[in-house]
């Protein structure tokens, strides 16, 4: 099949977000053009009430503000704030225009949300104060499926420790008038299910999870809880399971279940709206636990990661977490995040023009066949506070079996599309500018899936794509950072995405004994780098970011991602160069993973990755947050000194932080309840 590049003429306003633009312009449109989409908007000097007022005349039926935002939230006028919304496609296209008149500085598109999954009449719920003992710490988890009937999350046989669970991937409960999406389960309702579905001391867990909205086999809806192990249950077990806790009543749990179809999209493209809504719901609930008129401390674990983004601490996810941590100034809030598992993914590259003879200006992108999700490559320009940023570089792309594109410069209005012989768009090359505080341009290469089960769908060619760069107005000490969005299929989910990777021949994958090299060789000239692979979600200044080690070998796990980040004048302080510390994620090179709760009572399974290292730190933090006045990251640095785990002395801090921390979790001898 022949492919041809076409220069797209700039019409109307330049889009704010390139991915939102390409998904709406060239992706598969919804069957119903009036369908609701989830989205996250960044309001600038605009309250939620003002935003709704601006939108209403042009789109009277096009906007839904979730009931999770109460009257005070809607009236708050902040310099910047992230808000989860539901909107019609026409409104989203208007919000994605630079210079829009609605107060929106940025937007990220989520998923199409059918009407039956929304309660359009929901109203904000009152949040009564719950008086608790002064040693109470609230633990929170956001993940993709919680088997919260597991005995690790109970105080006794018929009483749960889960005070609140927002089940977003579920149709609204007609009895609950306060959730715009999904349903909300409170502790007394979960207790009632535990009593009603227990016979002869055995809980009918299939019936329990069908009533809580997490499993619906008849509807063909996938849920991780239907499997032997689920990521969310495992993480919750590590972060707040009762094993080392004597008084489990002082550890109430609040949690939010993300929709599986959002989690399935590991690129993180559609995650932000659901994450923003989940953070808002848990934030309101956690503030109700008070002792002596003050909210008790709250620790949240979010074990997700991504490869892409500016990696300078100014991205939307990092700022969203900062907004959450500061939402209630009366409450001490800590957060744990994984460093990421992309160290060996070959998803990071650098165009360095300081010495053209040793730094070739080409990256080769291997796009795999049978990839049913889009692939995205982001080329981030250096920081510039100029009103019109410099034209740093020019980019060309050559697809397999195709001709080289025309040049795309780093300036406004630059866009090209790759079309097949029938004129269908299979790839887009587009420049956009990410406004302050990022203040960096980005050229995005969006490649459509290389396979589809839908007839007539445009298919992009698989194979080796060549990305070439030529320096223009860029100094020798500046470079172009390139990241591929995460795109692989998660275990247990239906096959779909296959991770693209950089395939340069000079990248050294293995050492002299055949083991994968976990760090870049000295004096390496390959543009493909392991350094700088820290998760794009873990770049902020406040959360504790945790890398992974293997216990038997006393080594950093090969997959554990590393810094440094890209530091700009807009990067938050204190700036991080990598993770804060390292915790156990693998028992040995042969026995991967660590034990924690399975999806059903009495079961224990293994999972590995930095995702299981972070909740171990959350568990330890819950025992110490009351007794320290230090910020979270300072406390963790001292905790490493008190319970060190020996790691090789030559390991860089950009891989392990201040060191390894030993946090044993012994499931074999739980305390008396």
């Amino acid at each position: 099949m022949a492919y041809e590049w076409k220069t797209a003429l700039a019409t109307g306003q330049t889009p704010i977000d390139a991915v939102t633009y390409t998904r709406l312009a060239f992706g598969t449109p919804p069957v119903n053009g009036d369908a609701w989409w989830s989205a996250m908007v960044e309001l600038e000097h605009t309250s939620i009430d003002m935003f709704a007022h601006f939108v209403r005349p042009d789109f009277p039926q096009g906007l839904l503000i979730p009931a999770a935002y109460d009257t005070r939230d809607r009236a708050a006028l902040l310099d910047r704030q992230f808000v989860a919304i539901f909107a019609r496609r026409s409104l989203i296209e208007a919000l994605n225009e630079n210079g829009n008149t609605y107060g929106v500085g940025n937007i990220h598109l989520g998923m199409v949300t059918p009407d039956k999954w929304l309660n359009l009449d929901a109203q904000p719920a009152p949040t009564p104060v719950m008086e608790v003992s002064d040693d109470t710490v609230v633990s929170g988890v956001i993940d993709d499926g919680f088997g919260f009937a597991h005995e690790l999350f109970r105080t006794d046989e018929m009483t749960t420790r889960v005070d609140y669970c927002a089940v977003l991937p579920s149709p609204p409960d007609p009895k609950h008038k306060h959730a715009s999406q999904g349903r909300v389960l409170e502790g007394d309702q979960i207790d009632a299910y535990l009593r009603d579905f227990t016979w002869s001391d055995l809980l009918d867990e299939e019936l329990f999870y069908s009533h809580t909205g997490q499993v619906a086999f008849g509807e063909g809806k996938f849920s991780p809880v239907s499997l032997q192990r689920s990521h969310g249950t495992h993480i919750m077990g590590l972060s707040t399971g009762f094993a080392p806790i004597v008084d489990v009543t002082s550890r109430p749990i609040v949690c939010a279940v993300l929709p599986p179809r959002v989690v399935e999209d590991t690129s993180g493209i559609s995650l932000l709206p659901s994450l923003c809504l989940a953070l808002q719901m848990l934030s309101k609930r956690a503030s109700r636990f008070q002792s002596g008129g003050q909210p008790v401390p709250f620790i949240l674990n979010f074990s997700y990661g991504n490869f892409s983004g500016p990696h300078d601490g100014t991205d939307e996810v990092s700022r969203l977490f900062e907004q959450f941590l500061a939402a209630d100034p009366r409450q001490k809030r800590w957060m744990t995040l994984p460093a990421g598992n992309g160290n060996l993914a070959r998803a990071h590259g650098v165009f360095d023009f300081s010495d053209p003879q040793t730094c070739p200006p080409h990256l080769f992108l291997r796009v795999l066949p049978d990839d049913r999700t889009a692939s995205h490559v982001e080329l981030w320009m250096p920081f510039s506070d100029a009103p019109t940023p410099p034209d740093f570089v020019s980019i060309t792309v050559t697809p397999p079996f195709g001709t080289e594109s025309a040049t795309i410069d780093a300036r406004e209005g630059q866009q090209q599309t790759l079309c097949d012989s029938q004129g269908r768009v299979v790839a887009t090359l587009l420049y956009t500018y990410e406004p302050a505080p990022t203040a960096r341009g980005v050229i995005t290469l969006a490649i459509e899936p290389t396979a589809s089960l839908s007839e007539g769908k445009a298919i992009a060619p698989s194979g080796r794509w060549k990305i070439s760069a030529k320096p223009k107005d860029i100094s020798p000490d500046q470079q172009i950072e390139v990241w591929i969005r995460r795109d692989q299929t998660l275990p247990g989910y239906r096959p779909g995405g296959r991770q693209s990777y950089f395939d340069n021949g000079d990248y050294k994958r293995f050492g002299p004994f055949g083991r994968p090299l976990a760090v870049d060789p000295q004096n390496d000239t390959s543009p493909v780098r392991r350094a700088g692979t820290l998760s794009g979600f873990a770049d902020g200044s406040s959360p504790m970011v945790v890398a992974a080690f293997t216990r038997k070998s006393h080594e950093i796990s090969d997959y554990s991602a590393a810094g440094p980040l890209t530091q700009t004048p807009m990067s938050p302080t204190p700036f991080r160069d990598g993770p804060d510390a390292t915790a156990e994620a693998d028992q040995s090179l042969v026995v991967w993973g660590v034990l924690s709760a399975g999806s059903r009572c009495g079961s224990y399974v293994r999972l590995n990755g930095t995702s299981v290292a972070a909740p171990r730190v959350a568990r330890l933090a819950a025992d110490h947050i009351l007794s320290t006045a230090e910020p979270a990251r300072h406390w963790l640095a001292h905790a490493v000194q008190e319970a060190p785990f020996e790691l090789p002395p030559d390991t860089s801090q950009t891989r392990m932080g201040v060191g390894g921390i030993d946090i044993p979790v012994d499931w074999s001898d739980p305390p008396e309840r």
Side-chain angles (χ1 to χ4, degrees), residues 219-244:
E219 298 179 7
K221 183 181 71 173
F222 169 75
S223 170
V225 180
S226 64
L227 305 177
Q228 181 182 14
R229 63 182 183 181
S230 66
H231 189 267
T233 311
H234 193 277
I235 298 305
M236 185 188 285
L238 285 171
S239 64
T240 190
F242 67 63

Side-chain angles (χ1 to χ4, degrees), residues 128-134 136 287-296:
V129 170
M130 182 176 182
E131 193 67 23
V132 294
S133 61
D134 59 5
T136 299
S287 293
R288 90 183 190 105
F289 292 92
Q290 298 187 14
S291 176
Q294 291 294 317
V296 300

Side-chain angles (χ1 to χ4, degrees), residues 109-369:
L109 190 62
M111 290 282 193
V112 173
T113 307
D115 288 7
K116 70 175 184 178
W117 294 88
L118 294 175
N119 181 359
L120 304 180
D121 300 322
Q123 297 297 319
T127 308
V129 170
M130 182 176 182
E131 193 67 23
V132 294
S133 61
D134 59 5
D135 63 344
T136 299
V137 175
V138 181
S139 295
V141 187
I142 300 177
D143 220 287
D144 68 342
F146 298 121
F148 50 76
H150 200 287
E151 62 266 22
L152 290 182
F153 314 124
R154 304 191 212 175
T155 57
D156 57 43
E157 292 183 357
M158 299 297 176
T159 307
T160 184
R161 291 169 50 214
V162 178
D163 172 79
Y164 179 90
C165 183
V167 185
L168 298 184
S170 176
D173 186 347
K175 300 177 183 177
H176 198 283
K177 308 296 183 182
H178 306 298
S180 295
Q181 181 185 11
R183 69 176 64 178
V184 169
L185 301 170
E186 300 194 4
D188 55 355
Q189 186 176 3
I190 297 173
D191 290 344
Y193 287 150
L194 289 174
R195 292 191 302 269
D196 294 345
F197 304 141
T198 298
W199 292 277
S200 301
D201 295 330
L202 292 176
L203 175 67
D204 187 336
E205 295 183 73
E206 312 308 320
L207 189 59
F208 177 91
Y209 291 119
S210 66
H211 276 73
T212 58
Q214 290 205 73
V215 174
F217 294 112
E219 298 179 7
K221 183 181 71 173
F222 169 75
S223 170
V225 180
S226 64
L227 305 177
Q228 181 182 14
R229 63 182 183 181
S230 66
H231 189 267
T233 311
H234 193 277
I235 298 305
M236 185 188 285
L238 285 171
S239 64
T240 190
F242 67 63
I245 302 172
V246 177
D247 184 9
V248 294
T249 60
S250 65
R251 295 291 187 270
I253 303 169
V254 296
C255 55
V257 183
L258 296 173
R261 63 198 184 107
V262 169
V263 176
E264 186 177 30
D265 177 15
T266 54
S267 68
I269 290 173
S270 56
L271 172 67
L272 279 179
S274 295
L275 175 59
C276 183
L277 180 59
L279 287 170
Q280 174 67 15
M281 298 175 80
L282 297 192
S283 178
K284 305 300 288 188
R285 189 68 178 191
S287 293
R288 90 183 190 105
F289 292 92
Q290 298 187 14
S291 176
Q294 291 294 317
V296 300
F298 178 31
I299 297 176
L300 178 71
N301 183 85
F302 180 62
S303 284
Y304 280 69
N306 190 23
F307 296 164
S308 63
H311 286 74
D312 58 11
T314 67
D315 58 282
E316 290 83 0
V317 178
S318 297
R319 290 186 285 126
L320 175 62
F321 291 153
E322 296 297 326
Q323 174 180 298
F324 160 76
L325 292 171
D328 188 344
R330 304 171 303 158
Q331 186 175 47
K332 181 189 288 188
R333 295 184 175 185
W334 288 1
M335 190 174 192
T336 50
L337 298 170
N341 303 331
N343 190 53
L344 303 180
R346 287 183 279 171
H348 177 220
V350 174
F351 284 127
D352 184 349
F353 304 104
S354 59
D355 187 353
Q357 293 184 350
T358 60
C359 298
H362 305 295
L363 280 169
F364 293 95
L365 174 70
R366 179 69 65 176
V367 179
L368 298 178

Side-chain angles (χ1 to χ4, degrees), residues 5 47 96 156 248 388 446 461-462 493 508 583:
W5 287 98
S47 69
N96 195 33
D156 57 43
V248 294
T388 301
S462 60
Y493 285 80
K508 298 178 181 178

Side-chain angles (χ1 to χ4, degrees), residues 13 38 49 60 74 92 156 224 249 251 283 308 331 340 420 450 454 482 503 535 561 584 595 601 606 653:
Q13 296 286 343
S38 61
D49 281 337
R74 297 177 187 227
I92 290 176
D156 57 43
T249 60
R251 295 291 187 270
S283 178
S308 63
Q331 186 175 47
D420 62 15
T450 60
S454 301
V482 189
D503 192 21
S535 168
E584 182 181 356
L595 281 174
C601 292
R606 288 185 179 274
Q653 285 198 2

Side-chain angles (χ1 to χ4, degrees), residues 7 27 97 112 139 182 222 234 268 286 289 349 353 409 456 475 488 551 554 624 653 658:
T7 300
E97 294 181 355
V112 173
S139 295
F222 169 75
H234 193 277
F289 292 92
F353 304 104
D409 297 317
S475 61
Q488 76 270 36
R551 177 168 291 276
H554 284 250
H624 292 83
Q653 285 198 2
V658 296

